Amino acid sequence: GTKKKAACPGLGLFYTVLSAFLFSVASLFLKKIEDVHSVEVSAFRCVFQMAFVLPGLIYYKTGFLGPKGKRIFLFFRGFLGSSAMILLYYAFQVMPLADATVITFSSPVFTSLLAWIFLKEKYSIWDLLFTLFAITGVVLIARPPFLFGSNVTGIEGSYTDHLKGTIAAITSTVSGASTFVILRKVGKSVHYFLSIWYYAVIGLIGCVIALFVMNEWHLPYCGRDRVFLILIGVLGLGGQIFLTKALQIEKAGPVAIMKTMDVVFAFILQIIFLNHLPTWWTVGGALCVVASSSGTAIRKWRQSLKKAKQNEI
């Protein structure tokens, strides 16, 4: 018989790093766009998602609504996922790139907490410790005046915008964690393309309604900004594809740890292209959040390996 060709060692981790780089560059372009609301940028991203997913839905014959018993879960997955994207884009626009990126890395901690509440998954003292680490990191980045005083330095723009961006990033992180819990609940009974389809369609509808209410819908005046909008959609889609491919050929634990490269790229791009040096508060917050998310990922990975060995026995 013919031998099966072995997978390239480390290919999944390479895909993860490439995904992190594409997401970081897309965030940089978002910072460079002028006079375009984050909701409008999100609408363009949803259009690219729909254009990519539609052929897949037709090819795999999944339909556009999904199984009857799962539609309510798909709706909330789409609503919470698109809300997380809009809030994150807003955070990128009003606060330093590295700060917003670091806050989003507390997502695994919130996922564990929500899975304990809604799915009755185990929540140990280690999970509580990682949650406290993540909260400490977010506090160091936000630096609320009642703890750090009124003279807060090293932020981008006004402190009011910084605080709004922090709240948006935290809400985005919790919404994103909620989508992971919903996807766990749904399991493999719904095709991956259908999940993205709900995300894109509900997100686009929500964005269009919000833009009409706020009267913010307009094309960028500058041709460069229009190119940036297209690139944000393409790079965001590419990042999601490579992250999906990474999870298909590599265990979730190593992928989650390697995904911390998002923070590294955010710091590098912010220093080189935005001329904004991070403060020691941000660096300390980043270390707390990355340690928390990495610890959560390593613990989940070890638990899955232990469970797999028990099943073999």
Side-chain angles (χ1 to χ4, degrees):
T2 58
K3 291 184 178 180
K4 187 178 179 180
K5 188 177 180 180
C8 178
L11 183 61
L13 300 182
F14 171 74
Y15 283 154
T16 307
V17 174
L18 184 57
S19 169
F21 178 73
L22 293 177
F23 279 133
S24 299
V25 175
S27 303
L28 175 65
F29 288 154
L30 181 62
K31 294 286 290 183
K32 288 288 188 180
I33 288 181
E34 299 176 358
D35 300 324
V36 179
H37 200 279
S38 58
V39 179
E40 186 173 353
V41 180
S42 303
F44 275 92
R45 169 75 182 273
C46 289
V47 170
F48 274 93
Q49 297 269 53
M50 291 174 65
F52 169 76
V53 171
L54 185 59
L57 293 179
I58 296 172
Y59 178 79
Y60 288 107
K61 299 178 181 178
T62 61
F64 296 97
L65 297 177
K68 286 186 177 180
K70 306 295 182 180
R71 290 174 187 174
I72 185 65
F73 294 111
L74 286 170
F75 171 80
F76 279 110
R77 182 267 185 272
F79 176 75
L80 291 170
S82 57
S83 298
M85 174 183 62
I86 295 169
L87 290 167
L88 180 60
Y89 281 3
Y90 174 77
F92 279 140
Q93 286 187 331
V94 299
M95 67 187 302
L97 183 63
D99 290 18
T101 303
V102 168
I103 291 175
T104 61
F105 262 81
S106 57
S107 179
V109 178
F110 286 110
T111 302
S112 297
L113 181 61
L114 292 173
W116 170 60
I117 295 173
F118 294 104
L119 301 181
K120 308 303 179 184
E121 293 186 5
K122 188 178 179 181
Y123 191 80
S124 69
I125 190 67
W126 282 106
D127 294 310
L128 177 61
L129 181 63
F130 293 143
T131 302
L132 294 176
F133 256 93
I135 293 173
T136 301
V138 172
V139 169
L140 290 176
I141 292 171
R143 281 170 284 163
F146 68 88
L147 288 177
F148 294 85
S150 57
N151 296 323
V152 181
T153 59
I155 63 173
E156 187 178 275
S158 67
Y159 181 76
T160 302
D161 285 341
H162 182 80
L163 187 58
K164 288 180 181 178
T166 301
I167 294 172
I170 294 172
T171 308
S172 170
T173 302
V174 175
S175 297
S178 301
T179 63
F180 283 122
V181 173
I182 291 172
L183 289 174
R184 282 189 195 177
K185 179 70 175 178
V186 172
K188 296 181 180 179
S189 60
V190 175
H191 197 278
Y192 174 74
F193 276 132
L194 194 60
S195 176
I196 300 179
W197 175 255
Y198 267 82
Y199 175 99
V201 171
I202 295 175
L204 181 60
I205 293 171
C207 288
V208 170
I209 293 172
L211 288 170
F212 274 109
V213 171
M214 297 185 298
N215 196 24
E216 286 282 352
W217 184 269
H218 60 81
L219 284 174
Y221 301 112
C222 175
R224 186 195 68 167
D225 285 350
R226 296 182 185 186
V227 174
F228 282 164
L229 272 178
I230 296 173
L231 289 175
I232 289 170
V234 173
L235 292 172
L237 184 58
Q240 193 168 45
I241 290 172
F242 281 113
L243 182 59
T244 303
K245 289 178 69 68
L247 290 169
Q248 287 176 340
I249 61 177
E250 185 61 79
K251 290 183 174 63
V255 170
I257 297 168
M258 190 60 68
K259 204 175 182 304
T260 56
M261 286 300 296
D262 274 8
V263 176
V264 177
F265 287 133
F267 275 105
I268 293 173
L269 294 175
Q270 176 177 298
I271 294 170
I272 295 175
F273 295 101
L274 301 176
N275 297 318
H276 186 89
L277 289 173
T279 64
W280 287 110
W281 294 114
T282 297
V283 174
L287 291 175
C288 286
V289 172
V290 169
S292 173
S293 61
S294 299
T296 302
I298 291 172
R299 189 170 177 278
K300 297 295 183 184
W301 180 28
R302 291 183 62 181
Q303 285 178 342
S304 65
L305 292 176
K306 185 178 179 180
K307 188 175 181 180
K309 287 182 180 179
Q310 289 176 347
N311 291 336
E312 287 178 3
I313 296 173

